[in-house]
Amino acid sequence: MGKSPDRPILITGGGRRIGLALAHHFLAQHQSVIVSYRTRYPAIDVIEEAGGICIEADFCTDDGILAFAEEVKRRTTSLRAVLHNASAWMSESPAHKPAEVLSAMLQIHVHAPYLLNTAFEPLLRGQGHAAADIIHFTDYVVERGSDKHIAYAASKAALDNMTRSFAKKMAPEVKVNAIAPSLILFNEGDDAEYRQKALSKSLMKTAPGEKEIIDLVDYLLTSCFVTGRSFAVDGGRPLR
Ligand SMILES: NC(=O)C1=CN([C@@H]2O[C@H](COP(=O)(O)OP(=O)(O)OC[C@H]3O[C@@H](n4cnc5c(N)ncnc54)[C@H](OP(=O)(O)O)[C@@H]3O)[C@@H](O)[C@H]2O)C=CC1
Ligand SMILES: Nc1nc2c(c(=O)[nH]1)N=C([C@H](O)[C@@H](O)CO)CN2
């Protein structure tokens, strides 16, 4: 991918795990980076020390999303790419009213990408053919559904559909694609029994880690032709 030092790559939810790994990957290439963060982890200080711009943002409300968009526009007049990584993996549970779960999932996985793509369109355009990218981070469950993360899966399915809508709207200057992972990284609280069961669900039987996503992002940013598509990163899970 050609370096765009004056055109930052924007990563939402860049404070930990995949988003954080993406931020460091691009900073190491001397590619300018803007990340949104909700919690100020020590990792945010490290990104700033490495030259990244870190902007606090909570996408729980439309006002929070739009305030973030305005702050980004105050910091830059163009963007190389927008990576919609921010997400919450909420399950249905007695702890939350169903309406709260549905609203939270739609807010982070639908309102945020929709409003930010619309706000950032002028910053992505005007750079030439296939010169900018949007990548939506969806999920394998878009194609299968989930009985324990119903609202989560539905919201990611909406995000998947928006991939094709925004691809139609923004071509040929801006490519819009999705990455649909299954298990990439475990969470700290995942016990041995859960990990074993989760690993058994794919043919490859591993949790590959952030590099699997980073490598696909690099490919998509380098392409001059691929748009409107979703790329599964699932270890052959549908074939199990
Ligand atoms: N990890 C995996 O195995 C899989 C990941 N994916 C997808 O890949 C992407 C990255 O996954 P992963 O790194 O595990 O994600 P995480 O859940 O670990 O982190 C997501 C980030 O989003 C931020 N975020 C959550 N809610 C909000 C909000 N309301 N406003 C602003 N930011 C928010 C979090 O901030 P904070 O930490 O401050 O809460 C966090 O930094 C996600 O879109 C995920 O759905 C899909 C399938 C599997
Ligand atoms: N925002 C997040 N989304 C998802 C996560 C996560 O940790 N944060 N994790 C998963 C699981 O790894 C799942 O793919 C295992 O089957 C899904 N989405």
Side-chain angles (χ1 to χ4, degrees):
M1 183 196 79
K3 297 176 186 58
S4 307
D6 60 333
R7 296 175 56 214
I9 291 177
L10 188 148
I11 304 161
T12 66
R16 68 181 185 184
R17 292 159 58 91
I18 292 172
L20 178 62
L22 283 163
H24 283 300
H25 171 72
F26 291 123
L27 287 168
Q29 295 177 346
H30 306 293
Q31 163 65 53
S32 54
V33 165
I34 297 175
V35 304
S36 84
Y37 68 91
R38 184 171 59 167
T39 305
R40 192 161 179 110
Y41 302 110
I44 297 297
D45 297 333
V46 176
I47 293 175
E48 288 182 340
E49 288 157 13
I53 295 173
C54 300
I55 301 173
E56 184 177 0
D58 192 331
F59 298 153
C60 282
T61 65
D62 290 350
D63 286 348
I65 296 165
L66 295 172
F68 171 71
E70 287 311 304
E71 181 59 24
V72 170
K73 290 178 180 177
R74 277 192 286 273
R75 311 295 285 267
T76 185
T77 57
S78 71
L79 289 168
R80 169 63 186 83
V82 178
L83 311 185
H84 291 287
N85 169 80
S87 169
W89 193 33
M90 280 184 80
S91 63
E92 282 70 33
S93 81
H96 302 287
K97 294 176 181 173
E100 291 171 355
V101 178
L102 181 59
S103 176
M105 292 296 89
L106 292 173
Q107 196 62 39
I108 181 72
H109 300 136
V110 183
H111 286 237
Y114 177 85
L115 293 174
L116 293 179
N117 286 349
T118 304
F120 295 151
E121 183 174 359
L123 280 66
L124 291 160
R125 288 190 184 278
Q127 307 297 330
H129 189 281
D133 288 82
I134 293 169
I135 299 178
H136 295 156
F137 286 63
T138 61
D139 190 306
Y140 164 78
V141 294
V142 164
E143 66 180 79
R144 292 290 299 270
S146 171
D147 58 351
K148 295 184 174 61
H149 299 82
I150 300 169
Y152 167 86
S155 65
K156 289 284 193 175
L159 181 57
D160 175 68
N161 179 268
M162 286 200 294
T163 305
R164 293 176 286 282
S165 297
F166 278 106
K168 290 180 181 182
K169 178 177 170 65
M170 297 202 181
E173 293 176 275
V174 185
K175 306 190 329 283
V176 186
N177 291 289
I179 294 176
S182 62
L183 174 63
I184 300 294
L185 284 174
F186 286 112
N187 279 285
E188 285 178 13
D190 295 340
D191 62 24
E193 181 182 359
Y194 172 85
R195 292 174 185 245
Q196 187 58 41
K197 183 179 178 185
L199 292 172
S200 71
K201 290 181 179 178
S202 77
L203 293 179
M204 301 308 287
K205 304 204 185 309
T206 59
E210 300 94 330
K211 185 178 183 302
E212 199 68 28
I213 302 298
I214 290 169
D215 290 346
L216 180 51
V217 169
D218 274 347
Y219 162 72
L220 290 173
L221 296 183
T222 305
S223 169
C224 294
F225 191 57
V226 170
T227 194
R229 285 297 187 183
S230 176
F231 292 77
V233 184
D234 61 23
R237 181 160 174 186
L239 304 178
R240 271 284 290 149

